Amino acid sequence: MSTGVYQSPMEVAVYQLHNFSISFFSSLLGGDVVSVKLDNSASGASVVAIDNKIEQAMDLVKNHLMYAVREEVEVLKEQIKELLEKNSQLERENSLLKTLASPEQLEKFQSRLPAEVLCPEEQSPGAAAPAQHSGGSAV
């Protein structure tokens, strides 16, 4: 790179920053490297052109990131939907098993559970109490 045509360190820095920015964003997005030549007679216009190129590159990065985030949000929404469906199914299954179990089986099962599981209403106020069911053996 020849920096002899630039009279001030600022012009050299702007040129180097431009080349780095455009090269970085182009390689990030897989595009072609855009080269802008600066000359002393139009350094003000060149700075504006550089700013415009940097802004365009930043817009490309922003658009790419927004697209990626939207895709990820859709994937997560689908996972949430699947998990809610599975949770609902497991709650129905649990309720059915509780209704079919004998009081002795329930007592034996509950004696094996930790205290946090047995008394969830203490941890989250307003939680519904477990449904009571009539005795009878499913066996």
Side-chain angles (χ1 to χ4, degrees):
M1 174 181 88
S2 171
T3 57
V5 285
Y6 305 110
Q7 294 179 354
S8 73
M10 179 61 100
E11 289 176 331
V12 173
V14 167
Y15 178 77
Q16 289 173 340
L17 177 63
H18 167 265
N19 282 341
F20 171 76
S21 298
I22 298 301
S23 297
F24 173 75
F25 289 124
S26 294
S27 66
L28 182 68
L29 299 173
D32 294 330
V33 176
V34 177
S35 174
V36 174
K37 303 261 187 222
L38 294 178
D39 62 1
N40 291 332
S41 63
S43 64
S46 296
V47 169
V48 171
I50 291 169
D51 288 344
N52 287 340
K53 292 291 183 184
I54 292 172
E55 187 175 338
Q56 289 173 356
M58 296 290 280
D59 286 342
L60 285 172
V61 170
K62 183 181 95 175
N63 289 338
H64 176 72
L65 289 174
M66 291 298 291
Y67 180 76
V69 167
R70 284 186 187 109
E71 282 185 342
E72 186 67 21
V73 166
E74 290 302 316
V75 168
L76 292 173
K77 281 182 180 179
E78 187 62 32
Q79 287 178 347
I80 289 170
K81 180 182 173 186
E82 290 171 4
L83 289 172
L84 287 172
E85 289 172 358
K86 183 170 184 165
N87 186 43
S88 177
Q89 176 187 358
L90 290 172
E91 285 177 349
R92 287 191 305 270
E93 184 178 321
N94 187 36
S95 177
L96 176 64
L97 289 173
K98 281 182 178 180
T99 60
L100 296 176
S102 69
E104 297 83 24
Q105 290 171 324
L106 284 174
E107 185 177 322
K108 185 178 178 183
F109 175 74
Q110 289 176 346
S111 68
R112 295 181 185 171
L113 294 178
E116 306 92 45
V117 176
L118 291 176
C119 302
E121 59 273 354
E122 291 176 7
Q123 294 177 357
S124 59
Q132 296 295 328
H133 40 80
S134 61
S137 177
V139 186

